[in-house]
Amino acid sequence: MTEVVRCAWAGMADPLYLAYHDDEWGRPVRGDDRVFERVSLEAFQSGLSWLTILRKRENFRAAFDGFSIPKVAAYTEYDVDRLLGDAGIVRNRAKVEAAINNARAALDLPGGLSELVWRHADPDAPVPRTMSDIPAVTPGSVALAKELKRRGFRFVGPTTAYALMQAIGLVNDHIEGCVARVSD
């Protein structure tokens, strides 16, 4: 019997985490609202476990109107209070306000959020052989974070930007031999 190889972080027993690794992480995500969702969730994850966010993702989607950029951009202080009272999401004022701010900033992007983010794709990144080969920050994530901040986004530092790049397929950081690694 052949042993299935996966990235070490997916070795958790939680089936939700395993499914995320196998079916979603590193797969291309396009479209402004879909990319906005991931930018927002990566920001909410800052300082927390991704599994915490993953378990609350459906609650986040309901609370943030499916991460519709125009809807979130129109949120008022009432919505901030509503979100801070929602136990189904991470209730952090700075992160809630950043999500709303980021939706407003996304509305002003000439080509849209998806186009801006995908300009930083690195399809030629080396295939990591082990987890230690995967960086936390790259020149591409520094450039993406800088561009997003220049455009008015918050909670988008280089580490968060790289996690976004990994999650939505701008880089393929599944280790060599991983069952979820798809060839380009």
Side-chain angles (χ1 to χ4, degrees), residues 79-128:
D79 295 292
V80 172
D81 292 340
R82 173 183 60 81
L83 292 164
L84 291 175
D86 187 338
I89 66 168
V90 173
R91 296 178 291 178
N92 177 299
R93 179 175 289 276
K95 292 177 181 182
V96 166
E97 290 176 347
I100 296 167
N101 171 80
N102 293 350
R104 292 173 182 155
L107 283 178
D108 293 334
L109 295 174
L113 180 60
S114 185
E115 181 195 303
L116 181 146
V117 169
W118 273 91
R119 283 197 308 250
H120 295 83
D122 188 3
D124 299 322
V127 176

mmCIF file of all heavy atoms in Angstrom, residues 79-128:
data_model
loop_
_atom_site.group_PDB
_atom_site.id
_atom_site.type_symbol
_atom_site.label_atom_id
_atom_site.label_comp_id
_atom_site.label_asym_id
_atom_site.label_seq_id
_atom_site.Cartn_x
_atom_site.Cartn_y
_atom_site.Cartn_z
ATOM 1 N N ASP A 79 -23.338 48.494 11.270
ATOM 2 C CA ASP A 79 -22.817 47.186 10.855
ATOM 3 C C ASP A 79 -21.585 46.789 11.652
ATOM 4 O O ASP A 79 -21.407 45.613 11.971
ATOM 5 C CB ASP A 79 -22.513 47.190 9.355
ATOM 6 C CG ASP A 79 -23.769 47.352 8.526
ATOM 7 O OD1 ASP A 79 -24.598 46.435 8.517
ATOM 8 O OD2 ASP A 79 -23.920 48.422 7.902
ATOM 9 N N VAL A 80 -20.747 47.759 11.976
ATOM 10 C CA VAL A 80 -19.587 47.462 12.818
ATOM 11 C C VAL A 80 -20.071 46.907 14.149
ATOM 12 O O VAL A 80 -19.590 45.857 14.608
ATOM 13 C CB VAL A 80 -18.703 48.720 13.034
ATOM 14 C CG1 VAL A 80 -17.614 48.441 14.072
ATOM 15 C CG2 VAL A 80 -18.083 49.179 11.724
ATOM 16 N N ASP A 81 -21.042 47.558 14.758
ATOM 17 C CA ASP A 81 -21.600 47.078 16.035
ATOM 18 C C ASP A 81 -22.241 45.700 15.883
ATOM 19 O O ASP A 81 -22.077 44.832 16.738
ATOM 20 C CB ASP A 81 -22.624 48.073 16.586
ATOM 21 C CG ASP A 81 -21.990 49.383 17.031
ATOM 22 O OD1 ASP A 81 -20.755 49.406 17.279
ATOM 23 O OD2 ASP A 81 -22.720 50.384 17.122
ATOM 24 N N ARG A 82 -22.964 45.508 14.782
ATOM 25 C CA ARG A 82 -23.590 44.206 14.510
ATOM 26 C C ARG A 82 -22.529 43.110 14.420
ATOM 27 O O ARG A 82 -22.663 42.049 15.027
ATOM 28 C CB ARG A 82 -24.383 44.293 13.194
ATOM 29 C CG ARG A 82 -24.940 42.962 12.702
ATOM 30 C CD ARG A 82 -25.662 43.103 11.363
ATOM 31 N NE ARG A 82 -24.847 43.594 10.259
ATOM 32 C CZ ARG A 82 -24.009 42.840 9.538
ATOM 33 N NH1 ARG A 82 -23.845 41.552 9.829
ATOM 34 N NH2 ARG A 82 -23.318 43.361 8.539
ATOM 35 N N LEU A 83 -21.466 43.381 13.698
ATOM 36 C CA LEU A 83 -20.403 42.389 13.526
ATOM 37 C C LEU A 83 -19.669 42.121 14.837
ATOM 38 O O LEU A 83 -19.323 40.977 15.133
ATOM 39 C CB LEU A 83 -19.435 42.842 12.434
ATOM 40 C CG LEU A 83 -20.041 42.853 11.021
ATOM 41 C CD1 LEU A 83 -19.177 43.664 10.073
ATOM 42 C CD2 LEU A 83 -20.261 41.443 10.516
ATOM 43 N N LEU A 84 -19.449 43.160 15.616
ATOM 44 C CA LEU A 84 -18.769 42.972 16.901
ATOM 45 C C LEU A 84 -19.632 42.194 17.889
ATOM 46 O O LEU A 84 -19.105 41.621 18.850
ATOM 47 C CB LEU A 84 -18.359 44.325 17.492
ATOM 48 C CG LEU A 84 -17.257 45.056 16.731
ATOM 49 C CD1 LEU A 84 -17.017 46.441 17.321
ATOM 50 C CD2 LEU A 84 -15.972 44.242 16.722
ATOM 51 N N GLY A 85 -20.923 42.127 17.653
ATOM 52 C CA GLY A 85 -21.811 41.349 18.504
ATOM 53 C C GLY A 85 -22.054 39.937 18.002
ATOM 54 O O GLY A 85 -22.773 39.157 18.629
ATOM 55 N N ASP A 86 -21.453 39.583 16.867
ATOM 56 C CA ASP A 86 -21.676 38.272 16.246
ATOM 57 C C ASP A 86 -20.641 37.266 16.755
ATOM 58 O O ASP A 86 -19.480 37.282 16.339
ATOM 59 C CB ASP A 86 -21.580 38.412 14.726
ATOM 60 C CG ASP A 86 -21.962 37.154 13.974
ATOM 61 O OD1 ASP A 86 -21.914 36.042 14.560
ATOM 62 O OD2 ASP A 86 -22.297 37.277 12.784
ATOM 63 N N ALA A 87 -21.074 36.370 17.627
ATOM 64 C CA ALA A 87 -20.164 35.375 18.213
ATOM 65 C C ALA A 87 -19.685 34.340 17.185
ATOM 66 O O ALA A 87 -18.750 33.592 17.454
ATOM 67 C CB ALA A 87 -20.849 34.669 19.382
ATOM 68 N N GLY A 88 -20.282 34.327 16.022
ATOM 69 C CA GLY A 88 -19.895 33.357 15.000
ATOM 70 C C GLY A 88 -18.662 33.745 14.212
ATOM 71 O O GLY A 88 -18.164 32.952 13.413
ATOM 72 N N ILE A 89 -18.170 34.980 14.419
ATOM 73 C CA ILE A 89 -16.969 35.433 13.712
ATOM 74 C C ILE A 89 -15.938 35.884 14.738
ATOM 75 O O ILE A 89 -16.200 35.873 15.934
ATOM 76 C CB ILE A 89 -17.284 36.584 12.724
ATOM 77 C CG1 ILE A 89 -17.720 37.856 13.466
ATOM 78 C CG2 ILE A 89 -18.335 36.154 11.701
ATOM 79 C CD1 ILE A 89 -17.762 39.098 12.599
ATOM 80 N N VAL A 90 -14.777 36.285 14.264
ATOM 81 C CA VAL A 90 -13.753 36.862 15.135
ATOM 82 C C VAL A 90 -14.160 38.317 15.373
ATOM 83 O O VAL A 90 -14.273 39.094 14.422
ATOM 84 C CB VAL A 90 -12.359 36.779 14.482
ATOM 85 C CG1 VAL A 90 -11.333 37.528 15.307
ATOM 86 C CG2 VAL A 90 -11.960 35.321 14.301
ATOM 87 N N ARG A 91 -14.372 38.653 16.624
ATOM 88 C CA ARG A 91 -14.868 39.992 16.958
ATOM 89 C C ARG A 91 -13.712 40.888 17.391
ATOM 90 O O ARG A 91 -13.460 41.082 18.569
ATOM 91 C CB ARG A 91 -15.937 39.889 18.044
ATOM 92 C CG ARG A 91 -17.160 39.123 17.542
ATOM 93 C CD ARG A 91 -18.187 38.962 18.607
ATOM 94 N NE ARG A 91 -17.692 38.038 19.630
ATOM 95 C CZ ARG A 91 -18.360 37.716 20.714
ATOM 96 N NH1 ARG A 91 -19.543 38.225 20.944
ATOM 97 N NH2 ARG A 91 -17.851 36.868 21.585
ATOM 98 N N ASN A 92 -13.051 41.431 16.411
ATOM 99 C CA ASN A 92 -11.919 42.321 16.631
ATOM 100 C C ASN A 92 -12.212 43.598 15.853
ATOM 101 O O ASN A 92 -12.310 43.579 14.620
ATOM 102 C CB ASN A 92 -10.641 41.641 16.119
ATOM 103 C CG ASN A 92 -9.426 42.508 16.224
ATOM 104 O OD1 ASN A 92 -9.366 43.580 15.616
ATOM 105 N ND2 ASN A 92 -8.442 42.048 16.963
ATOM 106 N N ARG A 93 -12.392 44.702 16.581
ATOM 107 C CA ARG A 93 -12.799 45.967 15.946
ATOM 108 C C ARG A 93 -11.846 46.370 14.823
ATOM 109 O O ARG A 93 -12.279 46.764 13.738
ATOM 110 C CB ARG A 93 -12.916 47.084 16.974
ATOM 111 C CG ARG A 93 -13.304 48.427 16.334
ATOM 112 C CD ARG A 93 -13.554 49.533 17.338
ATOM 113 N NE ARG A 93 -14.768 49.323 18.083
ATOM 114 C CZ ARG A 93 -15.986 49.666 17.665
ATOM 115 N NH1 ARG A 93 -16.139 50.220 16.478
ATOM 116 N NH2 ARG A 93 -17.039 49.451 18.419
ATOM 117 N N ALA A 94 -10.556 46.300 15.058
ATOM 118 C CA ALA A 94 -9.590 46.736 14.047
ATOM 119 C C ALA A 94 -9.723 45.892 12.770
ATOM 120 O O ALA A 94 -9.650 46.430 11.658
ATOM 121 C CB ALA A 94 -8.169 46.647 14.590
ATOM 122 N N LYS A 95 -9.954 44.607 12.926
ATOM 123 C CA LYS A 95 -10.078 43.731 11.756
ATOM 124 C C LYS A 95 -11.413 43.937 11.049
ATOM 125 O O LYS A 95 -11.472 43.924 9.812
ATOM 126 C CB LYS A 95 -9.887 42.275 12.166
ATOM 127 C CG LYS A 95 -8.457 41.980 12.609
ATOM 128 C CD LYS A 95 -8.295 40.553 13.086
ATOM 129 C CE LYS A 95 -6.869 40.284 13.559
ATOM 130 N NZ LYS A 95 -6.674 38.890 13.990
ATOM 131 N N VAL A 96 -12.487 44.138 11.803
ATOM 132 C CA VAL A 96 -13.795 44.419 11.203
ATOM 133 C C VAL A 96 -13.730 45.725 10.419
ATOM 134 O O VAL A 96 -14.162 45.800 9.255
ATOM 135 C CB VAL A 96 -14.900 44.472 12.291
ATOM 136 C CG1 VAL A 96 -16.186 45.089 11.740
ATOM 137 C CG2 VAL A 96 -15.167 43.074 12.848
ATOM 138 N N GLU A 97 -13.175 46.750 11.042
ATOM 139 C CA GLU A 97 -13.065 48.043 10.361
ATOM 140 C C GLU A 97 -12.134 47.960 9.151
ATOM 141 O O GLU A 97 -12.368 48.619 8.130
ATOM 142 C CB GLU A 97 -12.616 49.119 11.342
ATOM 143 C CG GLU A 97 -13.704 49.457 12.348
ATOM 144 C CD GLU A 97 -13.282 50.454 13.423
ATOM 145 O OE1 GLU A 97 -12.059 50.719 13.566
ATOM 146 O OE2 GLU A 97 -14.182 50.963 14.121
ATOM 147 N N ALA A 98 -11.093 47.146 9.238
ATOM 148 C CA ALA A 98 -10.186 46.965 8.094
ATOM 149 C C ALA A 98 -10.919 46.306 6.931
ATOM 150 O O ALA A 98 -10.725 46.698 5.768
ATOM 151 C CB ALA A 98 -8.967 46.136 8.494
ATOM 152 N N ALA A 99 -11.759 45.315 7.199
ATOM 153 C CA ALA A 99 -12.513 44.643 6.127
ATOM 154 C C ALA A 99 -13.409 45.638 5.397
ATOM 155 O O ALA A 99 -13.482 45.640 4.160
ATOM 156 C CB ALA A 99 -13.322 43.482 6.691
ATOM 157 N N ILE A 100 -14.075 46.494 6.162
ATOM 158 C CA ILE A 100 -14.943 47.506 5.546
ATOM 159 C C ILE A 100 -14.113 48.511 4.760
ATOM 160 O O ILE A 100 -14.430 48.846 3.607
ATOM 161 C CB ILE A 100 -15.797 48.196 6.635
ATOM 162 C CG1 ILE A 100 -16.737 47.172 7.291
ATOM 163 C CG2 ILE A 100 -16.584 49.366 6.036
ATOM 164 C CD1 ILE A 100 -17.390 47.653 8.584
ATOM 165 N N ASN A 101 -13.030 48.974 5.355
ATOM 166 C CA ASN A 101 -12.113 49.883 4.676
ATOM 167 C C ASN A 101 -11.586 49.253 3.382
ATOM 168 O O ASN A 101 -11.522 49.905 2.341
ATOM 169 C CB ASN A 101 -10.942 50.223 5.601
ATOM 170 C CG ASN A 101 -9.859 50.986 4.890
ATOM 171 O OD1 ASN A 101 -9.947 52.178 4.695
ATOM 172 N ND2 ASN A 101 -8.812 50.271 4.458
ATOM 173 N N ASN A 102 -11.207 47.984 3.451
ATOM 174 C CA ASN A 102 -10.643 47.310 2.288
ATOM 175 C C ASN A 102 -11.672 47.150 1.172
ATOM 176 O O ASN A 102 -11.322 47.213 -0.011
ATOM 177 C CB ASN A 102 -10.036 45.971 2.690
ATOM 178 C CG ASN A 102 -8.816 46.144 3.572
ATOM 179 O OD1 ASN A 102 -8.299 47.248 3.742
ATOM 180 N ND2 ASN A 102 -8.353 45.050 4.156
ATOM 181 N N ALA A 103 -12.938 46.944 1.539
ATOM 182 C CA ALA A 103 -13.988 46.877 0.517
ATOM 183 C C ALA A 103 -14.097 48.224 -0.195
ATOM 184 O O ALA A 103 -14.219 48.278 -1.430
ATOM 185 C CB ALA A 103 -15.316 46.488 1.154
ATOM 186 N N ARG A 104 -14.035 49.292 0.570
ATOM 187 C CA ARG A 104 -14.105 50.638 -0.037
ATOM 188 C C ARG A 104 -12.896 50.882 -0.945
ATOM 189 O O ARG A 104 -13.028 51.438 -2.039
ATOM 190 C CB ARG A 104 -14.199 51.685 1.056
ATOM 191 C CG ARG A 104 -15.527 51.613 1.801
ATOM 192 C CD ARG A 104 -15.588 52.534 2.992
ATOM 193 N NE ARG A 104 -16.876 52.358 3.677
ATOM 194 C CZ ARG A 104 -17.088 52.626 4.952
ATOM 195 N NH1 ARG A 104 -16.103 53.117 5.703
ATOM 196 N NH2 ARG A 104 -18.281 52.429 5.476
ATOM 197 N N ALA A 105 -11.731 50.455 -0.483
ATOM 198 C CA ALA A 105 -10.518 50.613 -1.307
ATOM 199 C C ALA A 105 -10.616 49.771 -2.577
ATOM 200 O O ALA A 105 -10.189 50.205 -3.652
ATOM 201 C CB ALA A 105 -9.285 50.225 -0.498
ATOM 202 N N ALA A 106 -11.196 48.580 -2.466
ATOM 203 C CA ALA A 106 -11.333 47.696 -3.625
ATOM 204 C C ALA A 106 -12.232 48.310 -4.694
ATOM 205 O O ALA A 106 -12.013 48.099 -5.899
ATOM 206 C CB ALA A 106 -11.867 46.331 -3.194
ATOM 207 N N LEU A 107 -13.247 49.047 -4.263
ATOM 208 C CA LEU A 107 -14.139 49.701 -5.232
ATOM 209 C C LEU A 107 -13.393 50.687 -6.117
ATOM 210 O O LEU A 107 -13.806 50.948 -7.250
ATOM 211 C CB LEU A 107 -15.262 50.446 -4.502
ATOM 212 C CG LEU A 107 -16.405 49.616 -3.947
ATOM 213 C CD1 LEU A 107 -17.401 50.515 -3.220
ATOM 214 C CD2 LEU A 107 -17.101 48.814 -5.037
ATOM 215 N N ASP A 108 -12.292 51.249 -5.608
ATOM 216 C CA ASP A 108 -11.546 52.277 -6.333
ATOM 217 C C ASP A 108 -10.448 51.720 -7.236
ATOM 218 O O ASP A 108 -9.758 52.503 -7.900
ATOM 219 C CB ASP A 108 -10.926 53.266 -5.338
ATOM 220 C CG ASP A 108 -11.979 54.095 -4.612
ATOM 221 O OD1 ASP A 108 -13.083 54.282 -5.168
ATOM 222 O OD2 ASP A 108 -11.700 54.543 -3.486
ATOM 223 N N LEU A 109 -10.278 50.412 -7.256
ATOM 224 C CA LEU A 109 -9.195 49.839 -8.065
ATOM 225 C C LEU A 109 -9.594 49.829 -9.541
ATOM 226 O O LEU A 109 -10.618 49.257 -9.900
ATOM 227 C CB LEU A 109 -8.876 48.421 -7.598
ATOM 228 C CG LEU A 109 -8.304 48.316 -6.185
ATOM 229 C CD1 LEU A 109 -8.177 46.855 -5.775
ATOM 230 C CD2 LEU A 109 -6.968 49.026 -6.091
ATOM 231 N N PRO A 110 -8.781 50.423 -10.396
ATOM 232 C CA PRO A 110 -9.135 50.537 -11.816
ATOM 233 C C PRO A 110 -9.481 49.205 -12.494
ATOM 234 O O PRO A 110 -10.486 49.107 -13.167
ATOM 235 C CB PRO A 110 -7.894 51.168 -12.448
ATOM 236 C CG PRO A 110 -7.180 51.834 -11.332
ATOM 237 C CD PRO A 110 -7.518 51.065 -10.086
ATOM 238 N N GLY A 111 -8.687 48.184 -12.309
ATOM 239 C CA GLY A 111 -8.957 46.903 -12.964
ATOM 240 C C GLY A 111 -9.617 45.891 -12.051
ATOM 241 O O GLY A 111 -9.855 44.752 -12.442
ATOM 242 N N GLY A 112 -9.855 46.275 -10.820
ATOM 243 C CA GLY A 112 -10.454 45.365 -9.849
ATOM 244 C C GLY A 112 -9.400 44.708 -8.968
ATOM 245 O O GLY A 112 -8.206 44.701 -9.283
ATOM 246 N N LEU A 113 -9.862 44.162 -7.861
ATOM 247 C CA LEU A 113 -8.976 43.539 -6.879
ATOM 248 C C LEU A 113 -8.312 42.280 -7.414
ATOM 249 O O LEU A 113 -7.117 42.064 -7.225
ATOM 250 C CB LEU A 113 -9.759 43.221 -5.597
ATOM 251 C CG LEU A 113 -8.980 42.560 -4.470
ATOM 252 C CD1 LEU A 113 -7.813 43.437 -4.014
ATOM 253 C CD2 LEU A 113 -9.910 42.251 -3.295
ATOM 254 N N SER A 114 -9.082 41.439 -8.088
ATOM 255 C CA SER A 114 -8.526 40.191 -8.602
ATOM 256 C C SER A 114 -7.366 40.468 -9.552
ATOM 257 O O SER A 114 -6.307 39.846 -9.449
ATOM 258 C CB SER A 114 -9.622 39.386 -9.302
ATOM 259 O OG SER A 114 -9.148 38.124 -9.699
ATOM 260 N N GLU A 115 -7.547 41.420 -10.449
ATOM 261 C CA GLU A 115 -6.476 41.735 -11.396
ATOM 262 C C GLU A 115 -5.227 42.243 -10.679
ATOM 263 O O GLU A 115 -4.114 41.829 -10.989
ATOM 264 C CB GLU A 115 -6.940 42.783 -12.407
ATOM 265 C CG GLU A 115 -5.858 43.128 -13.421
ATOM 266 C CD GLU A 115 -6.147 44.406 -14.191
ATOM 267 O OE1 GLU A 115 -7.203 44.487 -14.823
ATOM 268 O OE2 GLU A 115 -5.290 45.313 -14.143
ATOM 269 N N LEU A 116 -5.420 43.136 -9.706
ATOM 270 C CA LEU A 116 -4.272 43.671 -8.972
ATOM 271 C C LEU A 116 -3.503 42.551 -8.271
ATOM 272 O O LEU A 116 -2.287 42.468 -8.365
ATOM 273 C CB LEU A 116 -4.728 44.719 -7.949
ATOM 274 C CG LEU A 116 -3.609 45.361 -7.140
ATOM 275 C CD1 LEU A 116 -3.950 46.808 -6.833
ATOM 276 C CD2 LEU A 116 -3.328 44.629 -5.853
ATOM 277 N N VAL A 117 -4.219 41.690 -7.580
ATOM 278 C CA VAL A 117 -3.571 40.607 -6.833
ATOM 279 C C VAL A 117 -2.877 39.637 -7.790
ATOM 280 O O VAL A 117 -1.727 39.255 -7.569
ATOM 281 C CB VAL A 117 -4.593 39.891 -5.926
ATOM 282 C CG1 VAL A 117 -4.020 38.600 -5.354
ATOM 283 C CG2 VAL A 117 -5.051 40.820 -4.801
ATOM 284 N N TRP A 118 -3.547 39.254 -8.865
ATOM 285 C CA TRP A 118 -2.981 38.261 -9.777
ATOM 286 C C TRP A 118 -1.776 38.778 -10.561
ATOM 287 O O TRP A 118 -1.005 37.984 -11.106
ATOM 288 C CB TRP A 118 -4.065 37.685 -10.692
ATOM 289 C CG TRP A 118 -4.726 36.538 -10.000
ATOM 290 C CD1 TRP A 118 -5.819 36.583 -9.198
ATOM 291 C CD2 TRP A 118 -4.275 35.199 -10.001
ATOM 292 N NE1 TRP A 118 -6.088 35.336 -8.695
ATOM 293 C CE2 TRP A 118 -5.163 34.463 -9.176
ATOM 294 C CE3 TRP A 118 -3.223 34.526 -10.614
ATOM 295 C CZ2 TRP A 118 -5.006 33.106 -8.956
ATOM 296 C CZ3 TRP A 118 -3.074 33.167 -10.400
ATOM 297 C CH2 TRP A 118 -3.963 32.477 -9.577
ATOM 298 N N ARG A 119 -1.570 40.071 -10.597
ATOM 299 C CA ARG A 119 -0.341 40.602 -11.225
ATOM 300 C C ARG A 119 0.895 40.162 -10.455
ATOM 301 O O ARG A 119 2.010 40.241 -10.959
ATOM 302 C CB ARG A 119 -0.386 42.130 -11.291
ATOM 303 C CG ARG A 119 -1.266 42.669 -12.389
ATOM 304 C CD ARG A 119 -0.978 44.132 -12.690
ATOM 305 N NE ARG A 119 -0.992 44.981 -11.532
ATOM 306 C CZ ARG A 119 -1.923 45.903 -11.271
ATOM 307 N NH1 ARG A 119 -2.915 46.087 -12.094
ATOM 308 N NH2 ARG A 119 -1.832 46.646 -10.190
ATOM 309 N N HIS A 120 0.709 39.690 -9.223
ATOM 310 C CA HIS A 120 1.831 39.285 -8.378
ATOM 311 C C HIS A 120 2.028 37.765 -8.334
ATOM 312 O O HIS A 120 2.763 37.262 -7.494
ATOM 313 C CB HIS A 120 1.636 39.856 -6.967
ATOM 314 C CG HIS A 120 1.694 41.343 -6.951
ATOM 315 N ND1 HIS A 120 0.614 42.136 -7.251
ATOM 316 C CD2 HIS A 120 2.722 42.186 -6.716
ATOM 317 C CE1 HIS A 120 0.964 43.402 -7.187
ATOM 318 N NE2 HIS A 120 2.239 43.463 -6.859
ATOM 319 N N ALA A 121 1.383 37.064 -9.245
ATOM 320 C CA ALA A 121 1.524 35.599 -9.291
ATOM 321 C C ALA A 121 2.972 35.228 -9.591
ATOM 322 O O ALA A 121 3.681 35.943 -10.303
ATOM 323 C CB ALA A 121 0.599 35.013 -10.351
ATOM 324 N N ASP A 122 3.393 34.101 -9.038
ATOM 325 C CA ASP A 122 4.752 33.612 -9.271
ATOM 326 C C ASP A 122 4.698 32.141 -9.669
ATOM 327 O O ASP A 122 5.005 31.255 -8.871
ATOM 328 C CB ASP A 122 5.602 33.807 -8.011
ATOM 329 C CG ASP A 122 7.070 33.493 -8.252
ATOM 330 O OD1 ASP A 122 7.441 33.171 -9.409
ATOM 331 O OD2 ASP A 122 7.843 33.558 -7.290
ATOM 332 N N PRO A 123 4.278 31.879 -10.906
ATOM 333 C CA PRO A 123 4.150 30.481 -11.340
ATOM 334 C C PRO A 123 5.485 29.751 -11.442
ATOM 335 O O PRO A 123 5.517 28.528 -11.489
ATOM 336 C CB PRO A 123 3.476 30.594 -12.709
ATOM 337 C CG PRO A 123 3.835 31.960 -13.199
ATOM 338 C CD PRO A 123 3.944 32.819 -11.972
ATOM 339 N N ASP A 124 6.583 30.491 -11.455
ATOM 340 C CA ASP A 124 7.902 29.870 -11.573
ATOM 341 C C ASP A 124 8.605 29.682 -10.234
ATOM 342 O O ASP A 124 9.798 29.373 -10.199
ATOM 343 C CB ASP A 124 8.792 30.705 -12.511
ATOM 344 C CG ASP A 124 8.207 30.791 -13.908
ATOM 345 O OD1 ASP A 124 7.639 29.790 -14.382
ATOM 346 O OD2 ASP A 124 8.298 31.873 -14.514
ATOM 347 N N ALA A 125 7.862 29.860 -9.142
ATOM 348 C CA ALA A 125 8.460 29.647 -7.820
ATOM 349 C C ALA A 125 8.958 28.204 -7.729
ATOM 350 O O ALA A 125 8.324 27.291 -8.264
ATOM 351 C CB ALA A 125 7.438 29.926 -6.717
ATOM 352 N N PRO A 126 10.093 27.981 -7.092
ATOM 353 C CA PRO A 126 10.617 26.615 -6.997
ATOM 354 C C PRO A 126 9.667 25.707 -6.209
ATOM 355 O O PRO A 126 8.972 26.148 -5.302
ATOM 356 C CB PRO A 126 11.946 26.783 -6.262
ATOM 357 C CG PRO A 126 11.920 28.131 -5.653
ATOM 358 C CD PRO A 126 10.922 28.955 -6.407
ATOM 359 N N VAL A 127 9.651 24.445 -6.588
ATOM 360 C CA VAL A 127 8.825 23.456 -5.896
ATOM 361 C C VAL A 127 9.481 23.150 -4.553
ATOM 362 O O VAL A 127 10.629 22.709 -4.508
ATOM 363 C CB VAL A 127 8.700 22.160 -6.729
ATOM 364 C CG1 VAL A 127 7.915 21.109 -5.968
ATOM 365 C CG2 VAL A 127 8.074 22.459 -8.085
ATOM 366 N N PRO A 128 8.767 23.392 -3.454
ATOM 367 C CA PRO A 128 9.364 23.085 -2.152
ATOM 368 C C PRO A 128 9.469 21.571 -1.942
ATOM 369 O O PRO A 128 8.521 20.833 -2.201
ATOM 370 C CB PRO A 128 8.406 23.721 -1.150
ATOM 371 C CG PRO A 128 7.124 23.906 -1.874
ATOM 372 C CD PRO A 128 7.442 23.984 -3.332
#
